[in-house]
Amino acid sequence: MSQSFFRSMMEVSRQCRGGLFALITNSPDPQKIGEKAFFASVHPIPQSPSLAAFWDDFFQQLTPDQQLPATISFQGHSIFVEHLAPKPQLILLGGGHVSYFVYQLAVMLGFSVTVVDEREEFCNPSRFPKAATLCLPFDKALPQLPCDNSTYYVIVTRGHQHDYTCLSYLLAQQPCAYLGMIGSRRKVALVHQSLLEDGFTQQQIDRVFSPIGLPIHAQTPEEISVSIMAQIIEVKNTRLPDSSLEDPVFDAIDKAEGPVAFCMIVRKSGSIPRGAGSKMAVDQNGMICGTIGGGKIEYDVIQTARNLCLNRDHTPVFQTFLMDNQSAKEDGMICGGSADVFICLVD
């Protein structure tokens, strides 16, 4: 993988809020193993321009309901495909006490956070130093914010009318990844009744998690924030997983000054902890960013990756790494498994 391909992929994917990354893992032509492409809009970005037509044909035959990540057979080739999505974004509509603690948990869990409130004392960089803040009325702020399958909305405003303003706007947009609203059952019922009277369907209203959060009998703002983020994690991880554009591995590769190896699981079996799409970067000193699960498999991958760096070997490696039952037992695991890992030098 060259840095020029990598940087082009990242620039386009951020502009388009995601795309498909494809990697040839097996081919009747050994020269094609390790070839990559990225598709986000009209035409794919190939690693090698000579394969532009091949990648055009490949991405055109993918169906919208294709479950990813997956390894797909195409014209005698095995091609691993995954969806790269933006970092999950949590948008807090309201900057009060519950919002403050939800923000803290969300940052710790790797979400990008935006806080909206028209009250400056509740919506400022001093209160939310690791979030973007938008100090505007909700009806002015919402059209400036994304609403897609990487966006998680939590409505924690200070009043019934603000709840309705936020909900009615968001229900009229394409579905986001999560839409939850805090409030008593009576308050929730009043808002739902107003939505029905204004023409929203029950099916639309059923998209809303309200009362919000998992039912853990939370009482304090801190406990309520735990129930909310637990529910968001449940929703996020129940869906088919996407890899994040903001994966620190990509950042490490982009900023590397010397040779670095890109490692990615393309298939797993058994009980190894990480699945297809898990990534890691390794330099010639054995320094790593990311993880493919730890233990013996990760150790063996690191040694292989480090050798590629030390030898400046641009030959891609596609290898099955094993954690047999005896090795798993020695590592304190119940049983083993295997991982098919792709490793290549980036410079």
Side-chain angles (χ1 to χ4, degrees):
M1 178 188 285
S2 67
Q3 284 187 318
S4 60
F5 166 79
F6 172 78
R7 287 173 180 157
S8 297
M9 179 186 80
M10 298 308 297
E11 288 173 8
V12 172
S13 60
R14 289 187 176 116
Q15 292 170 6
C16 299
R17 289 188 62 79
L20 299 177
F21 173 68
L23 164 72
I24 298 177
T25 60
N26 196 14
S27 170
D29 180 358
Q31 296 298 316
K32 289 184 178 179
I33 296 176
E35 284 289 334
K36 307 158 202 73
F38 181 76
F39 178 76
S41 53
V42 179
H43 295 292
I45 299 171
Q47 176 184 344
S48 298
S50 61
L51 294 178
F54 170 86
W55 287 117
D56 263 328
D57 292 342
F58 172 73
F59 285 112
Q60 285 178 15
Q61 58 87 41
L62 291 179
T63 59
D65 59 350
Q66 174 69 57
Q67 293 191 348
L68 300 176
T71 297
I72 298 168
S73 295
F74 178 71
Q75 296 182 3
H77 305 76
S78 295
I79 303 175
F80 174 79
V81 188
E82 67 171 345
H83 183 240
L84 292 181
K87 186 177 183 178
Q89 182 170 3
L90 178 68
I91 299 178
L92 295 167
L93 300 175
H97 297 309
V98 171
S99 182
Y100 177 73
F101 291 109
V102 172
Y103 147 79
Q104 290 187 320
L105 286 175
V107 169
M108 181 184 71
L109 292 166
F111 284 75
S112 170
V113 182
T114 299
V115 183
V116 181
D117 200 307
E118 62 186 343
R119 301 169 296 172
E120 187 174 354
E121 65 270 28
F122 286 98
C123 186
N124 59 75
S126 295
R127 181 170 170 80
F128 298 103
K130 295 182 180 179
T133 52
L134 201 54
C135 191
L136 288 171
F138 296 111
D139 60 343
K140 299 291 193 299
L142 283 165
Q144 302 181 34
L145 297 169
C147 188
D148 56 29
N149 60 9
S150 296
T151 313
Y152 298 74
Y153 274 91
V154 172
I155 300 174
V156 280
T157 78
R158 66 185 186 276
H160 164 87
Q161 188 54 50
H162 295 301
D163 291 341
Y164 181 82
T165 297
C166 296
L167 260 187
S168 60
Y169 177 86
L170 291 169
L171 289 177
Q173 311 306 308
Q174 65 174 341
C176 55
Y178 175 91
L179 176 56
M181 183 181 74
I182 200 168
S184 66
R185 294 190 182 278
R186 180 176 179 276
K187 173 185 166 183
V188 169
L190 288 172
V191 173
H192 285 190
Q193 184 59 39
S194 296
L195 290 168
L196 288 170
E197 290 172 357
D198 286 346
F200 289 93
T201 66
Q202 188 62 50
Q203 184 178 13
Q204 287 176 299
I205 294 171
D206 288 344
R207 285 164 38 195
V208 183
F209 289 85
S210 189
I212 198 170
L214 294 183
I216 60 173
H217 303 288
Q219 300 294 322
T220 65
E222 295 91 335
E223 291 175 349
I224 293 168
S225 70
V226 170
S227 75
I228 291 171
M229 285 310 302
Q231 188 174 63
I232 288 174
I233 292 169
E234 181 182 47
V235 170
K236 180 175 74 73
N237 292 348
T238 299
R239 304 180 340 166
L240 290 172
D242 291 331
S243 292
S244 172
L245 295 173
E246 280 75 25
D247 191 316
V249 171
F250 293 148
D251 192 50
I253 292 172
D254 187 37
K255 294 177 179 177
E257 297 181 356
V260 60
F262 172 71
C263 315
M264 181 173 68
I265 295 177
V266 299
R267 188 196 64 84
K268 65 161 278 188
S269 65
S271 62
I272 65 170
R274 300 299 299 273
S278 299
K279 301 173 181 66
M280 180 172 67
V282 182
D283 71 10
Q284 60 188 347
N285 298 314
M287 298 296 292
I288 68 171
C289 178
T291 180
I292 57 170
K296 180 178 183 299
I297 288 178
E298 182 163 296
Y299 174 83
D300 290 343
V301 170
I302 290 171
Q303 302 314 305
T304 301
R306 188 182 178 198
N307 287 335
L308 289 185
C309 294
L310 290 170
N311 298 322
R312 296 287 181 124
D313 186 352
H314 288 82
T315 305
V317 174
F318 181 69
Q319 186 173 339
T320 299
F321 292 85
L322 300 173
M323 168 69 84
D324 59 37
N325 289 338
Q326 182 59 38
S327 297
K329 183 177 180 181
E330 291 171 358
D331 274 3
M333 301 172 67
I334 295 174
C335 54
S338 67
D340 293 344
V341 182
F342 172 81
I343 310 169
C344 72
L345 189 67
V346 181
D347 56 13

